[in-house]
Amino acid sequence: MKTAILYASVHHGNTKKVAEAMAETLDADLFDLTKQENADISGYDLIGFASGIYYSNMHKAVRKFAESATFRPDQKVFLVCTCGMDSRDFTKKVRKTLEDKQVEVLDSFRCRGFDTFGPLVLIGGIAKGRPNAEDLARAREYARNLAPAAH
Ligand SMILES: Cc1cc2nc3c(=O)[nH]c(=O)nc-3n(C[C@H](O)[C@H](O)[C@H](O)COP(=O)(O)O)c2cc1C
């Protein structure tokens, strides 16, 4: 099973840490969508989109890619996000974009990520030290469980 993880991680590199842990587990190729917006996903069976949450949504580069990409019917997608406040599933909009295109989207992964956005900087930020070792262990476990689901 050939896997690609396409990520955007612009605030503190929080999502990049999670994406790297998953990529190591899955032996996946990593693409930074903020640097390479036209990644070629045609040769992959499983595709992950990973991003921090900015104004309650995944990064624009991820949203744009999900909207414009063409998927084979047998390709499967998973969504990953890190967010300052783990209050709800912020991947819903991208999931809908993909599902509207008949793409099969597996269960998503999320965890908190260090957040110093706006006035939060005044209190030293929230979710300090996240993702932590426990989050990354959970990310690896999630990635291990994806393998059978993707077949
Ligand atoms: C401009 C901006 C907007 C953000 N909006 C939200 C938000 O709506 N909800 C939330 O929980 N976290 C929000 N955050 C926090 C980030 O989602 C969090 O720090 C995330 O881990 C950043 O990931 P990254 O370091 O991979 O970019 C925001 C951060 C920034 C910089």
Side-chain angles (χ1 to χ4, degrees):
M1 183 189 57
K2 226 179 147 208
T3 306
I5 302 179
L6 283 56
Y7 71 91
S9 183
V10 297
H11 189 34
H12 287 292
N14 299 328
T15 314
K16 187 173 184 211
K17 288 180 196 162
V18 173
E20 283 173 347
M22 289 182 178
E24 206 179 283
T25 306
L26 290 162
D27 196 19
D29 293 330
L30 277 171
F31 298 91
D32 181 346
L33 277 183
T34 65
K35 294 190 180 129
Q36 188 186 349
E37 54 186 45
N38 294 316
D40 180 5
I41 54 165
S42 60
Y44 294 95
D45 309 299
L46 180 64
I47 299 135
F49 291 110
S51 124
I53 295 302
Y54 318 97
Y55 307 108
S56 304
N57 213 333
M58 294 184 87
H59 192 276
K60 196 176 170 192
V62 169
R63 285 185 277 138
K64 271 177 69 180
F65 194 95
E67 277 160 23
S68 59
T70 306
F71 297 86
R72 289 196 319 265
D74 60 308
Q75 284 178 317
K76 290 182 184 158
V77 169
F78 63 97
L79 302 174
V80 173
C81 76
T82 68
C83 46
M85 307 254 268
D86 191 7
S87 52
R88 61 190 164 92
D89 183 5
F90 295 110
T91 63
K92 264 190 183 161
K93 283 186 192 156
V94 170
R95 172 178 289 272
K96 182 162 184 336
T97 300
L98 293 163
E99 287 179 346
D100 284 350
K101 294 165 74 163
Q102 316 303 325
V103 178
E104 186 175 342
V105 187
L106 305 171
D107 280 348
S108 56
F109 175 93
R110 72 176 193 261
C111 75
R112 295 186 75 188
F114 181 44
D115 181 8
T116 54
F117 175 51
L120 291 176
V121 76
L122 301 173
I123 56 161
I126 57 170
K128 289 175 203 165
R130 307 287 295 273
N132 57 22
E134 204 176 301
D135 295 320
L136 297 179
R138 208 159 55 76
R140 286 189 203 95
E141 174 69 14
Y142 167 86
R144 268 192 295 278
N145 289 334
L146 279 177
H151 287 295

